[in-house]
Amino acid sequence: MKTNTMKTSHLALQSRQYLKIARLAPSPMRGGMPSIIAALGAALCFGFTTAYSQTLVPWTTVDNITNPGATARGIAVDGSGNLFVAGSIPDAAGITHAVIEHSSRQGDPGSWVRADYVPGAQYERIVARGGVTVAAASQGGACLIRGRTEGVNDGKWTNLMEPFRHWNSGYQLQTIWDVKLDISGNIYVVAEYMEKKITSVDRRGNATYAYVSHPIIFKREGGAWLEPIELGFPIRRLVISGSDIYCSGDQWRVRKYIGGSDWAIVDNFVDPQFGAWEATDMAMDGSGQLFVTGRAVRVVETTVRNKKVSTQYSYWVTRKGVVLIDGTWTWEITDDFRSGAAAAQNHGYAITVDKYDNVSVAGSVGVEGQTLTRWATRQYSP
């Protein structure tokens, strides 16, 4: 066990973890929100006290699709223990197709099947609550929402929102950041749209343009999509746990909503051995521990012909945070993963925690000597 204590305190690993290992061969067709929105007008960062350490636990890869360019973007587990991983796989012509992998036994070997396939699309996010699972995809610059319900229509995936490209007089879809389900089964989609605005016109009538970002939340309530709500600041991820609300955006900053229009930073990951970092997703377990996954760029020194050479590599990183009685947070790195001696593209994109507090992360891993990534799912159990 590797430990690197930073600042004042750290979390001890409570128990030994067990491993579940599966390597799957590639196969092309394997068988409370209104108040929240009102509060998202500004993001004021308050002072915070936090400590973190590094305690590497035995994560393992449980799903590995080796098609060149395959990327996992979202992961979710429903109330029955079905584990879903959403992403995309390019074909030989380079056209991307959206796929969902489904494990009926929480990632156990031999239980993975291809559950959904959408030609010419790319799944970005997926979420589950109870027996309902919803996924968001981009398709030709349009937004597509698909879903399934356990025990209904044989659990097949169907369209919940037909693809649409524009919103509000010509805003164009840039990115789908997140999709969430609340306790009532309402669906929330966080997306970013771009507006092309004229900034100036010269004497000949030639216009100069600028692109303005518009973060948007779409809500589906009672089977109908409501009027979209535009936010006043960038936001990428939401975690809603009871009355607690967390969000993340650029770099590795995690904020907690504390009332009104105020947010407090609870994690701002800065480590001298990393050159850059990005928090990509968050999830909370049943005891209130917050897990954050993403990537960090680390400088690795090697010796070549008696000369030191510094190279930057991307590491798949997962951190765990616990709030203490006095309101401060303590953090530790639980996964610090790089595949291959020279693999640079390692990135945890999405994370989920089931009712037993098993943690699963989906993302992409690099392959030594190649530029394309591979699809991977990593997991550990307390």
Side-chain angles (χ1 to χ4, degrees):
M1 180 171 64
K2 178 182 177 183
T3 302
N4 179 21
T5 304
M6 304 290 293
K7 294 190 179 179
T8 59
S9 65
H10 70 280
L11 295 179
L13 185 62
Q14 297 298 318
S15 63
R16 300 292 296 175
Q17 316 296 334
Y18 66 88
L19 304 181
K20 293 180 290 183
I21 303 175
R23 299 276 180 183
L24 303 184
S27 173
M29 288 299 294
R30 255 190 356 212
M33 196 64 184
S35 61
I36 299 172
I37 300 302
L40 300 182
L44 303 180
C45 301
F46 285 74
F48 66 97
T49 302
T50 182
Y52 66 86
S53 67
Q54 178 166 303
T55 305
L56 303 184
V57 297
W59 291 73
T60 186
T61 301
V62 296
D63 188 27
N64 187 16
I65 298 178
T66 59
N67 301 57
T71 302
R73 294 283 187 176
I75 191 166
V77 59
D78 68 12
S80 300
N82 294 296
L83 184 63
F84 299 92
V85 181
S88 62
I89 298 177
D91 60 20
I95 299 174
T96 300
H97 307 291
V99 297
I100 292 178
E101 296 283 290
H102 174 197
S103 168
S104 59
R105 297 196 301 272
Q106 299 177 331
D108 282 352
S111 65
W112 292 91
V113 297
R114 181 66 44 80
D116 195 31
Y117 176 86
V118 183
Q122 175 172 304
Y123 272 120
E124 304 288 354
R125 305 296 296 167
I126 190 168
V127 66
R129 182 184 285 269
V132 178
T133 309
V134 176
S138 56
Q139 186 177 36
C143 179
L144 172 65
I145 307 298
R146 289 173 62 80
R148 75 181 290 275
T149 301
E150 184 77 0
V152 177
N153 193 27
D154 295 327
K156 293 181 180 178
W157 289 84
T158 59
N159 284 358
L160 301 179
M161 176 192 284
E162 294 300 323
F164 66 96
R165 183 182 305 273
H166 303 292
W167 176 77
N168 193 10
S169 303
Y171 289 12
Q172 293 189 351
L173 177 67
Q174 179 75 9
T175 306
I176 298 171
W177 287 120
D178 208 358
V179 59
K180 285 290 185 288
L181 283 165
D182 66 18
I183 195 170
S184 300
N186 299 315
I187 304 170
Y188 303 87
V189 180
V190 180
E192 182 178 353
Y193 278 71
M194 300 300 290
E195 176 190 9
K196 187 177 181 181
K197 298 184 68 174
I198 297 177
T199 57
S200 63
V201 179
D202 64 20
R203 296 177 180 178
R204 298 181 178 179
N206 299 315
T208 300
Y209 296 91
Y211 290 88
V212 180
S213 172
H214 294 272
I216 305 294
I217 287 186
F218 299 94
K219 180 180 179 182
R220 186 176 190 263
E221 182 176 344
W225 290 93
L226 308 182
E227 184 69 18
I229 299 171
E230 183 172 351
L231 305 180
F233 63 92
I235 187 172
R236 296 187 177 184
R237 299 287 184 261
L238 280 177
V239 168
I240 304 173
S241 177
S243 59
D244 293 330
I245 306 163
Y246 299 87
C247 75
S248 63
D250 61 327
Q251 295 186 335
W252 199 297
R253 295 189 181 97
V254 178
R255 294 178 173 90
K256 180 181 179 181
Y257 176 63
I258 58 177
S261 59
D262 300 336
W263 296 76
I265 295 178
V266 298
D267 188 24
N268 188 14
F269 177 37
V270 179
D271 192 321
Q273 60 185 328
F274 292 106
W277 43 89
E278 177 186 4
T280 315
D281 199 14
M282 305 179 295
M284 182 168 284
D285 68 10
S287 60
Q289 298 181 120
L290 186 61
F291 291 84
V292 184
T293 194
R295 72 182 182 96
V297 177
R298 175 178 291 173
V299 177
V300 177
E301 289 190 350
T302 57
T303 301
V304 179
R305 295 178 180 177
N306 297 322
K307 189 175 183 180
K308 286 189 176 181
V309 178
S310 297
T311 308
Q312 288 189 339
Y313 295 112
S314 174
Y315 279 71
W316 173 320
V317 174
T318 300
R319 287 165 56 78
K320 179 176 72 174
V322 176
V323 62
L324 305 179
I325 296 177
D326 62 359
T328 61
W329 284 77
T330 181
W331 291 88
E332 62 179 353
I333 296 177
T334 65
D335 194 21
D336 182 358
F337 173 67
R338 178 167 64 97
S339 62
Q345 301 300 320
N346 301 292
H347 196 155
Y349 279 110
I351 190 168
T352 189
V353 183
D354 67 16
K355 61 184 178 181
Y356 303 109
D357 289 343
N358 300 305
V359 184
S360 301
V361 184
S364 62
V365 296
V367 179
E368 185 173 356
Q370 299 184 24
T371 57
L372 294 175
T373 60
R374 301 292 187 265
W375 169 316
T377 302
R378 290 174 61 76
Q379 187 178 72
Y380 91 93
S381 302

